[in-house]
Amino acid sequence: MVKDMNSGEKSIFDQLDLLEFSEAELALDGLLSEPESSPVPGSKEEIASLERIKSRTLDLIQTEPAPELPAAVRKPRRRAAIGAAAAAILMAAGLLAFSPDVQAGLKQALSFLPGFGTVLESSPGSQLYVLEKPYTASIGKGKLTVNAVLLQENSGTITLRGQQTPVITEFQADIGGDRYTFTSNMRSSASGDWYASYSAALPGNLELETAEPVTLYINAAAVGPLVLQAPVTADDLQHLGASDVHQDVRITAFPVRLDDGLVRVELVPALPDSFSAVHSYSLEPLVSWNGLYVENAEGVKAKVEPPSTMVYPSEFSFRELASAEEQSYRVVIPYIEIAERKALSREVVLPLPASGESAPLHITAEIAGYPVEFTRIKRSSGTAVSVDVDMNFDPEAAKSLTHFFIRYPGSGDKYSYGWQDTETFPRILKTLLLDAEPGADTLRFRMSEPLFLLKGPWILPLKLED
């Protein structure tokens, strides 16, 4: 027997010794593996004990390895079966031998938050309530949409979208028979439409039933009832929805049927450390002939609704194809545009012509290992300068530079620039609109935070439920 083994650990070992291979694999893959990003708290003895349990389970797996399946027929295991097998082992073996912190760490899972385009790490004891699909109400000649709701311990977040309606700064919500005031912490507007996020403090012991819908009171009008539910959870992202991985980027699709034949799809990325965020899923494609599309099993494309300026870049809708039979769909994402904010910035020094004159340039600089060429500079006044740059873009490359930001010496602000000459595609030529110091004969700036186009495709079969 292993030295320092506690009674709970011994019981788990005894249970593991009785398992078949498939059950042991499920137990290891389920609750006995904590995410690297969220280490299980506890004493050194407890952590060592957990490692010995996992080692014993690995020994069981390795004595009779599972046959390797071809990639085309390999299927993900059902997370419900994994959770049930692991839970049965731990409960039968007396998990209470470990501290509450360790127990909570073992049971952490991901919860998908519809309308927010993100996931949240939570434990089974966490009280989370979400709105599955948007709720729309008519306000005068316009529309108000409750796009997303998240109620959790101590706080609540609600997002609203208005179309041709006055912007709302705060409102009240009836939650569990009590009223709470939600105030705006972020607003944006464009072309008569607006989008806003609101928050409120909530009691830590909030518990809702399906018979207790939430109602919003906005400018004396009741909006609702909003029926909330627990979010969909899983131990890892790929078991929450349809996933695909290319170039170390996993994208997971979460669809939900709306009214009038529309389906809302939210895309959630899992990125390696080198990348920071996905800027575009090619809904408005840089590669204009190869943007995101949705098709059925026969390859017939469904209509993707034009993206609104008031949605997340990871959210879009499509209209289901008319058919007497149930259709299956898949999302195809040929390219994504992604940011690499951790890349080292590079200084560029360009000679300045006299005011009102322009001059050709043949200066090459690079950022994150990708070269760009500055081809012309024009000084329209003492301080206003425009610079043409060839991004050396290659749409056939697995990864190609599309954009970068400018930082001036001594300034922490970044400067977004210019326009893109799409008529020269597949080349990307940009004109930077920059500021020069009065009387200076050189222009200095740093290239930073590059954006890249990554080539896929990511293919995501949608899991649609009525």
Side-chain angles (χ1 to χ4, degrees):
M1 183 180 298
V2 178
K3 184 179 180 181
D4 297 329
M5 181 187 297
N6 61 37
S7 59
E9 182 181 347
K10 181 180 184 301
S11 297
I12 292 176
F13 273 35
D14 291 341
Q15 293 293 321
L16 289 174
D17 290 339
L18 297 176
L19 292 177
E20 297 294 332
F21 163 76
S22 59
E23 290 177 311
E25 183 186 27
L26 291 177
L28 180 73
D29 193 43
L31 299 182
L32 287 177
S33 59
E34 67 273 15
E36 290 183 2
S37 60
S38 301
V40 174
S43 67
K44 292 182 179 179
E45 292 77 11
E46 288 174 326
I47 295 172
S49 181
L50 291 177
E51 291 302 318
R52 288 195 293 270
I53 293 168
K54 289 191 289 183
S55 178
R56 170 62 68 91
T57 311
L58 274 173
D59 290 342
L60 291 174
I61 293 174
Q62 292 168 354
T63 57
E64 191 177 342
E68 181 70 10
L69 296 177
V73 299
R74 188 180 296 126
K75 297 181 180 180
R77 284 164 279 171
R78 291 183 60 84
R79 187 55 43 177
I82 294 174
I89 297 167
L90 296 176
M91 291 303 293
L95 178 61
L96 295 180
F98 296 109
S99 69
D101 281 345
V102 172
Q103 294 176 48
L106 287 171
K107 296 179 181 178
Q108 285 175 336
L110 297 177
S111 297
F112 171 62
L113 307 182
F116 294 98
T118 188
V119 295
L120 176 72
E121 190 175 74
S122 62
S123 65
S126 299
Q127 296 296 325
L128 299 176
Y129 305 93
V130 296
L131 182 67
E132 181 187 18
K133 60 181 67 176
Y135 181 97
T136 299
S138 296
I139 304 290
K141 295 182 180 180
K143 292 193 302 183
L144 179 70
T145 299
V146 184
N147 195 58
V149 177
L150 170 63
L151 304 184
Q152 57 186 322
E153 184 178 3
N154 300 322
S155 67
T157 301
I158 298 176
T159 63
L160 302 179
R161 184 179 302 156
Q163 295 175 279
Q164 305 305 313
T165 63
V167 177
I168 296 163
T169 57
E170 71 175 31
F171 59 87
Q172 288 191 315
D174 188 315
I175 303 172
D178 294 316
R179 289 206 179 185
Y180 303 91
T181 299
F182 281 74
T183 56
S184 173
N185 49 40
M186 185 276 288
R187 292 194 301 271
S188 61
S189 61
S191 303
D193 296 347
W194 56 269
Y195 175 91
S197 177
Y198 306 80
S199 61
L202 300 178
N205 59 351
L206 179 69
E207 290 191 16
L208 295 179
E209 301 291 340
T210 56
E212 296 180 306
V214 172
T215 301
L216 309 185
Y217 294 92
I218 302 174
N219 296 335
V223 176
L226 309 176
V227 178
L228 306 186
Q229 62 184 32
V232 178
T233 61
D235 289 332
D236 55 60
L237 190 61
Q238 64 180 317
H239 289 89
L240 281 174
S243 290
D244 197 8
V245 180
H246 279 283
Q247 302 201 59
D248 297 326
V249 174
R250 177 181 296 278
I251 300 175
T252 304
F254 299 90
V256 60
R257 280 192 168 101
L258 307 178
D259 298 326
D260 302 325
L262 280 177
V263 177
R264 179 179 73 180
V265 180
E266 294 177 78
L267 303 172
V268 175
L271 307 176
D273 290 340
S274 58
F275 296 129
S276 303
V278 176
H279 276 236
S280 170
Y281 293 88
S282 66
L283 281 166
E284 295 177 313
L286 179 64
V287 182
S288 57
W289 41 267
N290 206 346
L292 178 151
Y293 61 92
V294 179
E295 64 181 10
N296 67 3
E298 288 72 42
V300 179
K301 289 183 172 59
K303 180 183 177 182
V304 175
E305 295 294 306
S308 165
T309 56
M310 294 286 101
V311 299
Y312 293 109
S314 59
E315 177 186 320
F316 69 95
S317 298
F318 73 91
R319 195 165 295 279
E320 292 196 72
L321 298 167
S323 173
E325 299 180 357
E326 182 74 11
Q327 296 272 1
S328 61
Y329 299 94
R330 68 176 190 172
V331 176
V332 181
I333 308 172
Y335 295 89
I336 63 172
E337 193 171 22
I338 200 160
E340 197 167 307
R341 294 174 182 160
K342 296 180 181 179
L344 294 176
S345 61
R346 297 298 184 192
E347 185 177 60
V348 177
V349 181
L350 304 178
L352 278 171
S355 181
E357 295 184 1
S358 64
L361 294 174
H362 301 285
I363 295 177
T364 299
E366 70 172 40
I367 182 168
Y370 287 76
V372 298
E373 183 179 0
F374 297 94
T375 59
R376 178 168 291 276
I377 188 167
K378 180 179 180 180
R379 191 174 193 170
S380 54
S381 69
T383 58
V385 179
S386 62
V387 180
D388 293 342
V389 56
D390 188 337
M391 305 296 289
N392 288 313
F393 175 73
D394 179 3
E396 297 303 319
K399 176 182 178 183
S400 194
L401 182 67
T402 63
H403 192 87
F404 56 83
F405 289 98
I406 294 295
R407 292 185 185 275
Y408 293 112
S411 172
D413 296 330
K414 57 191 176 188
Y415 185 93
S416 188
Y417 54 77
W419 62 84
Q420 178 179 312
D421 185 356
T422 55
E423 294 181 1
T424 62
F425 192 83
R427 295 175 69 197
I428 292 182
L429 305 180
K430 290 183 178 291
T431 297
L432 317 185
L433 305 178
L434 305 178
D435 296 325
E437 294 290 335
D441 56 4
T442 59
L443 176 65
R444 291 178 177 270
F445 58 86
R446 299 186 75 88
M447 299 188 298
S448 67
E449 299 188 26
L451 271 65
F452 295 93
L453 200 69
L454 296 191
K455 188 175 183 180
W458 289 262
I459 300 175
L460 310 172
L462 297 182
K463 302 175 183 179
L464 283 171
E465 298 180 0
D466 294 325

